[in-house]
Amino acid sequence: MRNKCMGIINLNKKGDPNISKLNYARPIASTPIGGRYRIIDFTLSNMVNSGITNIGIFAKEKYRSLTDHIDSGKDWDLSRKKGGLSIFSPEHTEHQNMYPYRDGDIYNLLCNIEYIKRSEEDYVLVSPGYMICNIDYLEVLKYHKESNNYITLIYKEIDNAREDFKGNITLTLNDNNDVLNMGTNIGAFNKANIYMEMYIMKRLDFIHIIENLTNTGDFMYLEDYIFDVVKHKKVGGFKYSGYLKCVKSVKSYFETSKDLLDINIAKELLYSDRKILTKEKNEAPTIYTDSANVENSFIASGCLIEGNVKNSIIFRKVHIEKGVNIENSIIMQNCVIGENSKLENVIFDKNIVLSKGRELKGDENYPIVIEKNISI
């Protein structure tokens, strides 16, 4: 029996958020997180764990690191003769030459519409690349079919909207979970229904929307179309109740990373029956010397730890020398932290060498970010 739903991971989002120096050369989706993952691993794994094996990633630019991480898709069981994983962009396509002035995700999808037309699935699931959660899309698809919605939007009801998810879209729903209208979270109220930028609809309807909107030129982004269509079509909401974080700023990235050190959140996200898959990199076990002291931290394989690490995430092949104190920080792979240095509330990208005796301290809400491939 063939799969009933295909997946589209949309990286060409309205507003094009980025995380400062961490995203000069990579999209948010391929940003390292949690010591061994990339942010897109959560979206990919959610789809694969829900039986979706035909997935297209629609990128805009800076996707070399993404292709390097994903490769053929074999680590997600997506290296297949039929379906599998594909990465698309608007570059070097027929429509790029015809409409070089166009922008937006509708144009990106149009440039690669043949992929969607060739697919055999009845439904299409669209998701962004920066939402961190562990969700079963089979439940969403079942709800969508039973409710006879034109589009089903996935949302989460939160009670900290004054502090979190600012700028995200909110939904107003009736008692039947029909979407009445959509707005923006400006932090005015604590409670809000946050739209997770994920939705399911029929594949043929999706194709019709892309081609029709291209002809009329009414919208550049699908998000704007969905804002409008709730006035004319039956658009419903599916309520998700698990952990959710939208990583679209340094602050939210840092908060999410700290959340992963919470054992209850880690169990839900990483250690449930729906595993988060990532690219396998076999390394030697980490070595801890007699002078090492580690507290409430994640240490990846291939490291040499001689100093003190607390409430931090250390990626692969990091050397922390004697006398070092690291607290509330993220150190990505291939970094060397010189002896007697002190780091607090900092984020080091890859391949950074910190000479001995240095001290860097950021704010717990706004950490210092050091871009990759430099020596300090």
Side-chain angles (χ1 to χ4, degrees), residues 142-178:
K142 180 182 178 183
Y143 173 82
H144 175 74
K145 291 191 287 187
E146 290 177 349
S147 59
N148 198 32
N149 290 328
Y150 179 62
I151 305 176
T152 295
L153 311 181
I154 305 174
Y155 74 96
K156 178 178 172 63
E157 183 180 349
I158 66 168
D159 56 9
N160 64 335
R162 291 185 188 273
E163 292 82 32
D164 209 354
F165 296 97
K166 286 186 178 179
N168 286 85
I169 299 170
T170 60
L171 306 181
T172 301
L173 305 103
N174 62 19
D175 293 339
N176 295 321
N177 258 14
D178 296 322

Side-chain angles (χ1 to χ4, degrees), residues 146-275:
E146 290 177 349
S147 59
N148 198 32
N149 290 328
Y150 179 62
I151 305 176
T152 295
L153 311 181
I154 305 174
Y155 74 96
K156 178 178 172 63
E157 183 180 349
I158 66 168
D159 56 9
N160 64 335
R162 291 185 188 273
E163 292 82 32
D164 209 354
F165 296 97
K166 286 186 178 179
N168 286 85
I169 299 170
T170 60
L171 306 181
T172 301
L173 305 103
N174 62 19
D175 293 339
N176 295 321
N177 258 14
D178 296 322
V179 178
L180 303 179
N181 55 60
M182 304 171 70
T184 302
N185 176 28
I186 60 173
F189 305 98
N190 277 327
K191 290 190 175 181
N193 297 318
I194 297 298
Y195 170 44
M196 295 166 58
E197 300 176 39
M198 307 173 186
Y199 57 91
I200 285 182
M201 65 184 306
K202 289 183 177 179
R203 181 179 60 87
L204 295 181
D205 288 341
F206 187 77
I207 294 170
H208 175 74
I209 289 170
I210 298 302
E211 293 182 334
N212 185 56
L213 293 180
T214 302
N215 288 330
T216 62
D218 291 338
F219 303 103
M220 294 171 60
Y221 288 91
L222 280 168
E223 180 180 298
D224 293 327
Y225 168 76
I226 294 174
F227 262 90
D228 183 70
V229 80
V230 297
K231 307 169 188 174
H232 317 291
K233 299 277 189 178
K234 188 177 187 303
V235 178
F238 176 90
K239 185 177 180 179
Y240 167 74
S241 58
Y243 175 88
L244 176 69
K245 197 72 173 182
C246 178
V247 182
K248 60 178 183 178
S249 66
V250 171
K251 186 175 184 291
S252 58
Y253 173 80
F254 200 50
E255 289 172 349
T256 306
S257 298
K258 289 189 288 187
D259 284 349
L260 292 175
L261 295 176
D262 183 310
I263 188 63
N264 294 320
I265 293 175
K267 282 182 178 179
E268 177 186 342
L269 283 179
L270 306 175
Y271 307 121
S272 71
D273 293 337
R274 299 190 299 272
K275 302 297 182 185

Side-chain angles (χ1 to χ4, degrees), residues 9 31 74 96 142 176 208 258 311 314 334-335 343:
I9 302 176
T31 304
K74 63 181 178 61
Q96 184 193 33
K142 180 182 178 183
N176 295 321
H208 175 74
K258 289 189 288 187
N311 300 330
I314 311 298
N334 293 317
C335 290
L343 301 177

